[in-house]
Amino acid sequence: MDINRGAYPDALTPWEDPSWRTAALGWLEARLAELGIRETGPRQARVRPWSVIVRIEAVEPVWFKAASPGSAFEAGLGEALSRWAPEHVLTPYAVDAQRGWSLLPSGGPVLRAQRAGPREWEEALTQYADLQRALVPRTEELLRLGVPDARVSGLPRVFDEAVAGNETLDAADRERLRSIRPRLVAWCEELAAIGVPDSLDHADLHDGQILVAGAGRYTFFDWGDANVGHPFCSLLVALDRAAEEHGPEVMARLEDAYLEGWRGHTLPDLRRAAELARRLSQLTRAGSWARLFPTAAHLGDPERAAALLRLL
């Protein structure tokens, strides 16, 4: 089996534990047998500090994913999303919600492989906003599934815990961050007052996490960084990635396409909410880096610190 460790060749994950590997691959093989899927080539493993993914070659490729304990909710979330909004997400073949394992189908090429232009980005972000609006009434259900709580009212607490718990920050940076806390509270209060409801925030939405499901149709996957929070926080990664590809001038166009469906608010209010949410989403980015496998947890501290310092 080919094993790809990317930029983390020394990271310790459950993959190194023979008993875990035997259990995970045994579960995978049992599910393939139940589904009647016959393997046609060698498996490929992608081992990272936050997940283990095995690609199974078949007539249509199949993926096994094991999330870290901090993202174990992803398996149950994926199953729930496939019931609530099947047109926007992958429908898993099987999940083990307790262990955070999923068996997923091929959903088509990723948007990045299609050399997407601004029009395709507009379509994808519009459909992603449709998904988020559909999930607004399910906020409490999402929390019960274990999706982390990053609602705006609780972000000052998230900030305090992130600053106190990060060992990479030196004393000067820690003090600088604490000095902006009153401003951060004010940003949260202003964002909450605009009144856009909480929903599911993917928190790492880019063109490698969006599948082209057909002409003008997109589905969204890889929910391990997700949280329940302000929906507009999703714009941070998406717009930055689009700007890398097409220049910063595309950002306003894509933001307005995404905001168009959030009716009941003026466009200036929505743009201000998007500005505040993108700033505050550095906190959820920091939180994502705290969800690594326990044996690799130290690898996340520098990334968490960098996200926090971007608040400055």
Side-chain angles (χ1 to χ4, degrees), residues 1 10-11 13 15 33 36 53 55 64 77 88 99 169 187 205 227 250 277 312:
M1 185 186 308
D10 301 321
T13 74
W15 185 257
I53 296 175
R55 175 182 167 122
F64 164 81
L77 173 62
H88 293 300
R99 293 190 284 192
L169 294 168
W187 296 334
L205 186 69
N227 55 76
V250 79
L312 299 172

Side-chain angles (χ1 to χ4, degrees), residues 158-159 162-164 166 169 177 180 282-283 286 303-312:
V158 172
F159 173 80
V163 172
N166 190 284
L169 294 168
L177 285 166
I180 70 161
Q282 296 295 348
L283 286 172
E303 298 287 352
R304 292 174 68 196
L308 289 170
L309 291 171
R310 284 192 287 270
L311 285 165
L312 299 172

Side-chain angles (χ1 to χ4, degrees), residues 14 49 61 70 115 121 141 147 220-221 246 256:
R115 303 182 64 85
W121 270 102
E141 292 173 88
V147 182
F220 309 94
F221 74 108
H246 304 293
D256 280 357

Side-chain angles (χ1 to χ4, degrees), residues 110-118 121 125 204-210 234-248 250-251 254 278 285:
V110 294
L111 187 61
R112 183 174 297 170
Q114 302 297 293
R115 303 182 64 85
W121 270 102
L125 288 175
D204 193 27
L205 186 69
H206 56 72
D207 51 357
Q209 315 277 40
I210 302 171
S234 295
L235 289 171
L236 174 69
V237 174
L239 295 186
D240 284 353
R241 174 61 186 162
E244 289 176 14
E245 291 292 310
H246 304 293
V250 79
M251 295 174 76
L254 298 183
R278 288 178 64 203
R285 296 295 298 147

Side-chain angles (χ1 to χ4, degrees), residues 77 80 129 140 175 197 240 252 262:
L77 173 62
E140 293 301 324
E175 186 56 36
D240 284 353
W262 294 93

Side-chain angles (χ1 to χ4, degrees), residues 125 132 152 155 187-188 190-197 201 230-240 251-260 262 265-282 284:
L125 288 175
Q132 288 183 301
V152 175
L155 287 181
W187 296 334
C188 291
E190 183 182 358
L191 181 56
I194 292 172
V196 175
D201 165 26
H230 199 287
F232 296 1
C233 286
S234 295
L235 289 171
L236 174 69
V237 174
L239 295 186
D240 284 353
M251 295 174 76
R253 169 183 170 181
L254 298 183
E255 181 179 281
D256 280 357
Y258 168 85
L259 295 175
E260 185 176 353
W262 294 93
H265 307 272
T266 67
L267 184 57
D269 277 351
L270 290 173
R271 287 173 173 163
R272 177 59 176 165
E275 178 187 358
L276 291 166
R278 288 178 64 203
R279 183 180 299 165
L280 290 166
S281 64
Q282 296 295 348
T284 59

Side-chain angles (χ1 to χ4, degrees), residues 14-99:
W15 185 257
E16 283 68 52
D17 179 350
S19 62
W20 183 93
R21 196 164 60 246
T22 297
L25 295 180
W27 182 87
L28 161 61
E29 287 156 8
R31 303 293 82 74
L32 292 177
E34 290 169 358
L35 293 161
I37 294 174
R38 186 174 65 85
E39 297 186 58
T40 60
R43 298 173 181 174
Q44 301 171 53
R46 182 180 181 273
V47 180
R48 297 292 188 269
W50 52 86
S51 68
V52 172
I53 296 175
V54 179
R55 175 182 167 122
I56 297 92
E57 297 299 335
V59 174
E60 290 288 339
V62 179
W63 280 265
F64 164 81
K65 181 172 185 179
S68 67
S71 295
F73 65 85
E74 183 182 5
L77 173 62
E79 185 177 49
L81 292 178
S82 72
R83 288 186 278 107
W84 297 337
E87 70 277 21
H88 293 300
V89 298
L90 292 174
T91 296
Y93 285 135
V95 303
D96 184 324
Q98 185 174 2
R99 293 190 284 192

